[in-house]
Amino acid sequence: MSEWLVLVLAMLAACTVVVVITLVRHRRAPQDEDPSETPDVIEYMTMWIGVVYAIVLGLAIAGVWEARSTAQDHVQAEAQALHEISERVRVYPPDVRDRVRADVNAYVGHVVDTEWKTMADHGRVTERGTELLQRVREDVTDYQPKTDFQAQAYQPLLDQVAAADQARNARADSTGATMPGVVWFGLLTGAVVTIGMVFALQIRRTPRELVLAGLFSALIAFLLFLIWDFDAPYSRGITASAEPFLNLFPHVGR
């Protein structure tokens, strides 16, 4: 089931539940009930509950969006470091240069074609990717420079290998969900309380009030879905992409 279908169903379900409860409550309300006589304290509490919950939702959306942006930065840093290795190794002899570039391309191809799907489906990186990056490291570290020019390029190459490894580890750490379970409990409980306070205002069965109640509940459902969709940076609808690898290594993964 696609994420957008889940969103539509969640919003329709929220609207339906609120409208049905409103109709049932209206039918079972006492004959002498006056909806216009809502105590001022209830209106005050409803307003502040909505304000507080809106702040919580805003902070949650900002948090998951920042996590998604950080995950994309890890991908960019890793791709850039590998590109620098592939370019700077040109000062080495042809056999060493070609071997390093071939191993870099093999690693990038594995990340784009295989590891990305593993991250999306299982929330982890692959052992094969670790082995391929280790092979690149060994290619660079095991070579003994023969000239001063090669010696000057040796340490920067080691730094780029370390940068690629660090970015890969950061990418591996950000494959899972970023929102703790207790935060989700608070968000869902807050949604129930916020929508429930609508009924404390004794809304009636007029089309205008039913539409507003339905739209309000659908908005809450949409915002919760947005948080859920951003929560896993590599596995749901609006995700971090492998475009940095494809842009810097256009001959790989096409």
Side-chain angles (χ1 to χ4, degrees):
M1 184 181 296
S2 68
E3 286 83 2
W4 295 110
L5 180 58
V6 172
L7 170 61
V8 172
L9 293 177
M11 295 177 67
L12 290 176
C15 291
T16 302
V17 169
V18 170
V19 171
V20 169
I21 293 177
T22 301
L23 294 175
V24 172
R25 182 183 178 280
H26 180 79
R27 180 170 298 180
R28 295 185 176 182
Q31 295 292 332
D32 57 348
E33 182 182 56
D34 187 1
S36 63
E37 294 183 357
T38 301
D40 293 339
V41 66
I42 293 181
E43 294 183 356
Y44 180 80
M45 291 174 58
T46 301
M47 178 189 68
W48 277 107
I49 288 175
V51 170
V52 171
Y53 188 62
I55 294 174
V56 172
L57 281 176
L59 292 175
I61 292 174
V64 293
W65 177 257
E66 182 179 1
R68 186 261 181 200
S69 299
T70 302
Q72 187 66 59
D73 292 340
H74 296 328
V75 178
Q76 180 65 48
E78 183 180 2
Q80 185 62 47
L82 292 169
H83 179 70
E84 290 296 323
I85 294 172
S86 184
E87 292 298 320
R88 296 188 183 196
V89 80
R90 64 193 299 268
V91 303
Y92 283 7
D95 59 330
V96 178
R97 177 193 63 204
D98 294 342
R99 183 173 66 252
V100 173
R101 287 179 174 176
D103 288 340
V104 169
N105 291 339
Y107 173 75
V108 172
H110 175 77
V111 170
V112 173
D113 296 333
T114 303
E115 191 166 77
W116 211 264
K117 180 173 174 52
T118 301
M119 290 193 305
D121 295 341
H122 305 290
R124 59 177 177 82
V125 297
T126 63
E127 292 293 334
R128 178 60 178 167
T130 303
E131 294 173 1
L132 290 174
L133 185 59
Q134 180 61 27
R135 184 183 300 174
V136 174
R137 180 188 294 275
E138 293 173 355
D139 291 340
V140 174
T141 58
D142 292 351
Y143 177 72
Q144 295 182 357
K146 302 297 191 299
T147 66
D148 291 341
F149 190 32
Q150 293 177 5
Q152 292 173 4
Y154 182 74
Q155 186 58 50
L157 278 170
L158 291 181
D159 294 340
Q160 293 302 322
V161 171
D165 188 39
Q166 182 180 12
R168 173 181 171 80
N169 291 332
R171 174 164 61 87
D173 291 339
S174 60
T175 54
T178 58
M179 296 287 288
V182 64
V183 176
W184 274 114
F185 175 78
L187 289 173
L188 295 175
T189 302
V192 173
V193 173
T194 302
I195 296 176
M197 290 301 294
V198 173
F199 302 107
L201 295 176
Q202 300 179 6
I203 62 174
R204 290 165 288 184
R205 198 174 52 179
T206 63
R208 181 179 60 183
E209 292 181 343
L210 289 178
V211 169
L212 290 176
L215 291 177
F216 177 73
S217 59
L219 176 61
I220 297 296
F222 170 75
L223 294 176
L224 290 176
F225 171 84
L226 199 62
I227 296 172
W228 173 81
D229 197 50
F230 287 158
D231 192 27
Y234 297 105
S235 61
R236 293 183 186 141
I238 305 176
T239 62
S241 71
E243 282 300 316
F245 287 108
L246 298 176
N247 293 336
L248 294 174
F249 298 89
H251 54 285
V252 176
R254 296 293 186 182

